[in-house]
Amino acid sequence: MDPIQSVDSEAIVLVAERVRAGETVDVSTAGMPRGPFVTDVLGLEFGQASHGRLTAHLVLDERHHQPYGIVHGGIWCAVVETMASVAAALHAPDGHVVVGVNNSTDFLRPHRAGRVEGEASLIHLGRTQQLWQVALRRDDDAMVARGQVRLQHVASR
């Protein structure tokens, strides 16, 4: 099966219609598809989506560490990419999906374990591309990572 076709889920389309209509949608109960990497490896749980915004959280532990005992930078990149991709999918034009074309993630503070909240914010919604910023904060409100992802609209087949 063509991966571009397999992404075009009815749940994504229904949530996207609600977001475009100005609703705030609880994505955790909307039946959005999530693969094993997002659920089993990252443990990312989506929160609410609205126009230009998506929230999520995850709980990090030693499974996410690099050899020095802090969260691996690749985890931050993956969370930023995932959140921006889901948010962008909800804002894609009808008949289109989105694919990431650039991810720039900064690691700001070391983090060992515990809950991290994420918020994706729309920077630019263009005819062919979108630009999203994602901020990741721990419970004390300290930002641990921040990223920016540019995504391309691609016609679904």
Side-chain angles (χ1 to χ4, degrees), residues 30-88:
M32 295 275 290
R34 300 182 311 150
F37 178 72
V38 173
T39 56
D40 301 340
V41 177
L42 294 179
L44 190 61
E45 296 289 336
F46 295 108
Q48 294 187 330
S50 57
H51 181 72
R53 183 172 179 270
L54 174 73
T55 64
H57 73 272
L58 68 159
V59 178
L60 297 151
D61 59 35
E62 65 278 350
R63 294 171 299 144
H64 303 100
H65 287 180
Q66 42 94 308
Y68 299 109
I70 59 174
V71 173
H72 191 286
I75 297 295
W76 300 132
C77 291
V79 170
V80 166
E81 178 90 19
T82 301
M83 288 187 66
S85 295
V86 169

Side-chain angles (χ1 to χ4, degrees), residues 90-138:
L90 299 177
H91 291 76
D94 288 337
H96 288 76
V97 296
V98 293
V99 294
V101 294
N102 188 54
N103 178 336
S104 176
T105 300
D106 297 306
F107 318 132
L108 304 173
R109 286 183 176 81
H111 184 74
R112 294 188 191 291
R115 185 177 170 116
V116 171
E117 301 286 335
E119 181 173 355
S121 303
L122 180 63
I123 296 172
H124 174 73
L125 177 58
R127 185 178 55 79
T128 61
Q129 293 188 347
Q130 298 181 40
L131 184 63
W132 287 82
Q133 179 174 292
V134 178
L136 301 172
R137 297 179 184 276
R138 58 184 178 215

